[in-house]
Amino acid sequence: MATVRLVPPRFPRLRKPVRVQFDWPALRRYATRGAVLAAAVPVAAAATVMGLERFRRHQYPLDEPFPTAPPSSTEVEDTTATLYTYGADLYAGMLEAIRGAQREIFLETYIWKDDEVGRQFKQALVEASARGVSVYVVYDGFANLVISRRFYDLPGVHVLRFPAMRPGLLMLDVRRSGRDHRKILVVDDETAFVGGYNIGSLYATQWRDTHLRLTGPSAWELRNAFVDFWNRWRGPHLPVLQDVGSPLWLPGLRAARNAPSELVFPIRGIYLDAMDRACSHIYITQAYFIPDEDIQAGLLAAAARGVDVRVLVPERSNHVVADWLARGHYSTLLRGGVRIFLYQGAMIHAKTATIDGRWTTVGTANIDRLSLTGNYEINLEVVDNGLAAQLEDAFRMDQSNSRELTLAEWQHRHPLSKVAERLMSPLRPLL
């Protein structure tokens, strides 16, 4: 009988585990250098175009004449809405209201320059206070850093300086970093103004902007916005303002207010809702147009279903970096059927839109991240055929001073322009 030998299986010889040594300090240095380089490239590109634009602006200033229209009014329910498209006309109306005030004045502005127009407003407010009118003023400290704080010493006037430095700025904390970008004037609870105009001589004649005046019960919309902001940010040295409430309910005329401290941003929502409803046409005028994905998708969807979508922006604005970031969207918009018009020779600063001859918004918010999800802003949303017709007339007036950018022209722009757009694109979330 054969003998069977059992041979134990052979297993491979186990090696000792290899220990990988990481030079953690070196890796951190490389990561830091990479992050610094990634941030430095778009910043350097932005600095370069800013330097070139400074030279270009010296050679070709934005001071050419542009078409204007006199103030025009229409009735919205029990309120008269007056549209202003020229700064000198607007300032005349605002100063007239201040000088005729009998009880109360609320003024809120982003920029208030110490120049001829700025001093006219200062004098009118001080004189109103001297005759017994209660005057309350809010201005943004950061936007007016170049102006001496002594200019804002207004005898007898309650002044709230929105702080120049916000604690959340470095940490990108939206609740504690937004600027006060609103422009509001309310007189005697009966007359109220809102729109894109700051206060200064430059804006009186050399910038094309849009403001709206409400005369009647709907002025409460802007009064309430001022009172809420004042009571939220006033210090102990400033009085509390009374919230009077309103018996008037007009769903067709409402103020949408962005409030970063409460993470409330309704202006973006009214744009998205209105674009979804569009059936005929969308006319948008913007100083700085850097749409987020949802707003861009809304415009493209409207164009795809046959809506005539037109966006009017300055060919050159006072913020060249914003111009370059906006251009990063042009290819997608033009391919999708959105028509882009470039305003010529002057700065257009309006923040307006009108849709289908029915819906209109006029206010302070740009279509960019800073306005729609960053700053304190206010826009009136009005559903009224008469006001929409006025805004369409204003759009056609501005279009007459614009040139249309075609897809063919845009595709043949200089290769260096394409490189600059790509290099600066990481800055879009900041603007």
Side-chain angles (χ1 to χ4, degrees):
M1 184 175 180
T3 302
V4 178
R5 292 182 61 191
L6 298 176
V7 180
R10 291 190 174 187
F11 295 96
R13 191 172 180 180
L14 298 176
R15 297 179 180 179
K16 292 183 179 180
V18 178
R19 293 186 177 181
V20 179
Q21 297 290 335
F22 289 101
D23 186 348
W24 291 109
L27 288 174
R28 282 194 293 268
R29 286 196 300 273
Y30 293 139
T32 300
R33 290 172 185 171
V36 170
L37 180 62
V41 169
V43 171
T48 301
V49 300
M50 288 173 67
L52 293 173
E53 177 63 18
R54 185 172 299 174
F55 173 78
R56 183 183 182 190
R57 188 168 297 166
H58 179 73
Q59 297 293 321
Y60 306 102
L62 293 170
D63 60 358
E64 294 184 13
F66 50 88
T68 63
S72 57
S73 299
T74 188
E75 299 301 314
V76 182
E77 298 287 341
D78 294 331
T79 295
T80 301
T82 303
L83 189 70
Y84 292 89
T85 59
Y86 189 56
D89 293 334
L90 170 69
Y91 295 150
M94 294 173 72
L95 289 168
E96 180 184 24
I98 292 171
R99 290 165 181 155
Q102 299 180 5
R103 301 186 307 277
E104 209 167 47
I105 297 171
F106 299 146
L107 174 66
E108 182 176 355
T109 189
Y110 181 60
I111 295 174
W112 185 357
K113 291 185 176 294
D114 181 5
D115 56 21
E116 181 181 357
V117 166
R119 289 189 287 273
Q120 288 178 10
F121 274 82
K122 179 177 179 176
Q123 181 180 355
L125 292 168
V126 171
E127 290 175 351
S129 176
R131 66 175 183 268
V133 177
S134 299
V135 182
Y136 303 82
V137 168
V138 179
Y139 73 96
D140 188 88
F142 181 81
N144 297 283
L145 282 175
V146 297
I147 308 298
S148 170
R149 292 187 65 169
R150 290 192 298 273
F151 174 72
Y152 305 102
D153 292 337
L154 310 177
V157 176
H158 304 291
V159 179
L160 192 164
R161 180 178 186 266
F162 195 70
M165 301 306 298
R166 305 293 312 286
L169 183 61
L170 296 178
M171 297 175 289
L172 299 180
D173 181 353
V174 174
R175 286 179 178 266
R176 298 188 296 165
S177 61
R179 308 307 324 160
D180 180 17
H181 193 241
R182 309 190 318 173
K183 299 97 177 172
I184 296 172
L185 172 65
V186 184
V187 175
D188 290 344
D189 297 349
E190 177 67 20
T191 301
F193 299 78
V194 70
Y197 278 101
N198 293 291
I199 297 174
S201 299
L202 172 69
Y203 317 123
T205 58
Q206 296 187 45
W207 279 31
R208 173 50 199 102
D209 211 330
T210 300
H211 233 71
L212 195 64
R213 171 178 180 160
L214 301 179
T215 305
S218 288
W220 177 88
E221 296 284 338
L222 300 176
R223 180 198 193 278
N224 187 56
F226 183 95
V227 168
D228 286 349
F229 187 90
W230 177 275
N231 289 337
R232 170 68 177 82
W233 293 105
R234 70 176 185 86
H237 63 291
L238 293 172
V240 177
L241 288 175
Q242 184 181 5
D243 186 354
V244 298
S246 173
L248 183 69
W249 292 75
L250 283 183
L253 197 165
R254 301 287 296 275
R257 298 179 278 162
N258 283 3
S261 59
E262 285 77 43
L263 295 180
V264 174
F265 304 105
I267 297 175
R268 180 175 178 272
I270 68 172
Y271 267 108
L272 290 170
D273 179 69
M275 289 188 298
D276 280 346
R277 295 174 184 272
C279 296
S280 171
H281 56 270
I282 298 174
Y283 299 157
I284 294 174
T285 304
Q286 284 288 305
Y288 319 111
F289 182 71
I290 311 173
D292 61 30
E293 290 184 5
D294 291 336
I295 288 185
Q296 180 170 280
L299 293 173
L300 293 172
R305 64 178 180 266
V307 176
D308 178 10
V309 182
R310 305 185 188 192
V311 177
L312 194 152
V313 296
E315 181 154 26
R316 291 169 53 216
S317 81
N318 63 321
H319 291 307
V320 63
V321 174
D323 294 345
W324 281 89
L325 295 179
R327 290 167 191 160
H329 295 274
Y330 287 179
S331 294
T332 301
L333 292 168
L334 290 169
R335 288 195 190 99
V338 175
R339 299 176 67 184
I340 297 175
F341 294 85
L342 304 177
Y343 199 73
Q344 301 294 293
M347 174 61 190
I348 187 164
H349 190 251
K351 302 95 168 56
T352 65
T354 185
I355 295 179
D356 287 357
R358 298 188 62 197
W359 180 91
T360 294
T361 186
V362 177
T364 68
N366 301 298
I367 296 182
D368 60 18
R369 190 208 64 81
L370 279 179
S371 279
L372 296 186
T373 58
N375 290 335
Y376 292 87
E377 305 278 4
I378 183 165
N379 269 45
L380 286 178
E381 180 186 28
V382 185
V383 181
D384 179 79
N385 294 356
L387 185 60
Q390 289 182 321
L391 261 292
E392 289 186 3
D393 288 342
F395 187 90
R396 284 187 285 268
M397 176 185 73
D398 295 331
Q399 193 173 289
S400 72
N401 193 54
S402 305
R403 70 177 186 89
E404 184 169 4
L405 178 66
T406 65
L407 179 59
E409 176 191 349
W410 187 243
Q411 289 176 331
H412 289 88
R413 69 197 183 279
H414 197 284
L416 288 179
S417 296
K418 299 177 183 180
V419 172
E421 292 160 19
R422 188 173 296 275
L423 290 178
M424 286 192 288
S425 62
L427 299 177
R428 285 180 195 164
L430 302 179
L431 297 180

